[in-house]
Amino acid sequence: MKPDSNRLTALDAGVVLFISVAICLAADRLVLMSILVPLTLILRLLLLYLVRKTEGVNFRAEAAFYTVCTLLGAYNDWSTVCVRGVYDYTVPHEFAFSTLPVWMLLYWGMILRFMARFARWRALGPPPRPASTVGIGRWRVESGAVKVGFLLVLVFVTRYTIYRAYLDPVWSWLPFLLALAVYLIVCPPERHDARLLGVVLIVGPLVEILYINVGGLHRYHLGWIGGVPLWIVVWWLLAVLIWKDIAFRLERAIKRLLPDQA
């Protein structure tokens, strides 16, 4: 797949920025956010449809990929918060079984979609496709399936540990740091990876701090960095590398299943 254009990246960045401002100003207003966020997401899809030809957007595949992003993001956050109790949302919500409002569950799809888009932004010089090399030293294999399996193991291990150690001042973040180190050893990093990590290291915690302290969106245990725990900072670094790879392969597979009919 070709890199994503400045226009497409700006569109998704604008949507995330707009919703982020709304969170900072009105996260406690359930009715307003329940109308504003879905309308913003629908408007995004409409704009994508209008520019689909000039930007080469496969609209059916885009809609399907966004749906997958929403399901993955919403389930992960809901299970982490409502099932495992790792952190808490502090804004009004609709249902007793979920402290996450529906608008936040929908917004998670936009977050994952934007992360995938940003990782493919042409200005960052993304590679034509993610590398499939996995191994240490001379012991390396070239296999996309092996790499995806390795990435899923990292996700499983870090999820498992945070579910059990989110209150521990050391073990809440150390497994994430170790997983990041293992990733960088086993999967040879590229310059593009360094650019992604540099941006996420600054922007990720900053956005979390704004959501917590200005919007009152959620609350973490061990929030040492403006309310943000160290494990979240490291997790975003690991997550952007993992999602960069998996999102590309997933989006490519969806495009093959749903060829453009425009």
Side-chain angles (χ1 to χ4, degrees), residues 80-95:
T80 302
V81 173
C82 299
V83 178
R84 302 292 182 172
V86 175
Y87 56 96
D88 304 297
Y89 275 83
T90 53
V91 292
H93 54 277
E94 297 91 345
F95 307 110

Side-chain angles (χ1 to χ4, degrees), residues 33-161:
M33 294 298 288
S34 297
I35 296 173
L36 184 64
V37 173
L39 283 180
T40 302
L41 299 177
I42 292 171
L43 178 60
R44 170 189 175 268
L45 286 176
L46 176 60
L47 291 175
L48 280 175
Y49 183 80
L50 293 176
V51 302
R52 68 191 188 284
K53 293 183 179 179
T54 57
E55 291 294 327
V57 174
N58 180 336
F59 187 76
R60 292 199 306 161
E62 172 65 31
F65 181 62
Y66 180 80
T67 300
V68 172
C69 289
T70 302
L71 293 175
L72 288 175
Y75 175 75
N76 176 70
D77 209 34
W78 178 82
S79 62
T80 302
V81 173
C82 299
V83 178
R84 302 292 182 172
V86 175
Y87 56 96
D88 304 297
Y89 275 83
T90 53
V91 292
H93 54 277
E94 297 91 345
F95 307 110
F97 64 84
S98 173
T99 58
L100 281 79
V102 172
W103 64 261
M104 186 65 210
L105 296 174
L106 296 175
Y107 181 42
W108 265 109
M110 191 65 241
I111 293 172
L112 291 189
R113 189 22 174 144
F114 174 64
M115 288 179 63
R117 179 83 75 196
F118 183 72
R120 296 293 304 161
W121 183 25
R122 67 174 54 172
L124 294 180
R129 63 186 62 83
S132 296
T133 304
V134 181
I136 300 175
R138 296 181 179 179
W139 301 95
R140 294 189 181 276
V141 296
E142 189 75 19
S143 170
V146 171
K147 185 177 183 183
V148 170
F150 168 71
L151 298 179
L152 293 178
V153 168
L154 290 182
V155 172
F156 175 80
V157 170
T158 52
R159 292 288 91 186
Y160 180 86
T161 57

Side-chain angles (χ1 to χ4, degrees), residues 125-127 129-131 147 184 187-195 244:
R129 63 186 62 83
K147 185 177 183 183
L184 295 175
C187 304
E190 305 169 325
R191 290 184 178 180
H192 182 247
D193 295 325
R195 298 186 188 104
K244 160 193 171 180

Side-chain angles (χ1 to χ4, degrees), residues 16 171 193 227:
V16 171
W171 286 102
D193 295 325

